[in-house]
Amino acid sequence: MPGSAGHRPFSAAGPYWPVVAGPYGAGALVAPPERPPLPDFPTLSARLGAVREDFGKPAGYLAEVDLPPTATEGVHTLSRIVRQDLPEAVDSFVRTRWWTRLTPGQKPPERHLERQLTVLREEAEHLASALRDAEVRRQETHTRHLEERGG
């Protein structure tokens, strides 16, 4: 039956339904929209695991390549940075940071970590530069050999 109480919207509120429904509608307009979920970034542990895995990948590759002596020395230096120097720098930072909380007023361990990472970066950059220079000389030598051979 059209017009019966069972079929009218907000029939329980009777003629006052705008007064009852109005605040709900206004609240929906004033309330902030639903936020999208935050991006699912990997945890620090997962990122460290990925870095450790990445450091392991070159070892298999380098084991299959016959490297010249200068590059072998470079692999040794890089290996020392990755396997010894970098973990030691981070570990000493973590341990010192804990103790620094108990004895405030000392030089922040972050400064030492930053300095150590800067030194390691500079060492890696020097290594990369030396290897690049060695490869440039090797390429130039090969070019001269081909030019002399041809004529």
Side-chain angles (χ1 to χ4, degrees), residues 36-121:
L38 293 174
D40 185 25
F41 291 115
T43 64
L44 179 59
S45 297
R47 291 190 321 225
L48 284 175
V51 169
R52 287 182 182 116
E53 185 179 317
D54 287 347
F55 277 136
K57 289 178 183 178
Y61 172 74
L62 293 174
E64 297 178 19
V65 177
D66 184 28
L67 296 172
T70 56
T72 303
E73 180 61 32
V75 169
H76 169 74
T77 302
L78 188 57
S79 176
R80 180 185 39 77
I81 290 172
V82 169
R83 292 181 176 168
Q84 181 181 344
D85 296 336
L86 187 58
E88 178 65 26
V90 173
D91 184 58
S92 64
F93 163 73
V94 170
R95 292 172 189 271
T96 306
R97 184 178 59 178
W98 187 86
W99 284 107
T100 304
R101 291 179 186 152
L102 298 177
T103 56
Q106 298 189 7
K107 189 181 284 189
E110 290 84 1
R111 288 190 187 157
H112 285 288
L113 178 63
E114 290 168 0
R115 287 174 50 204
Q116 291 168 1
L117 294 177
T118 298
V119 169
L120 292 173
R121 185 191 74 231

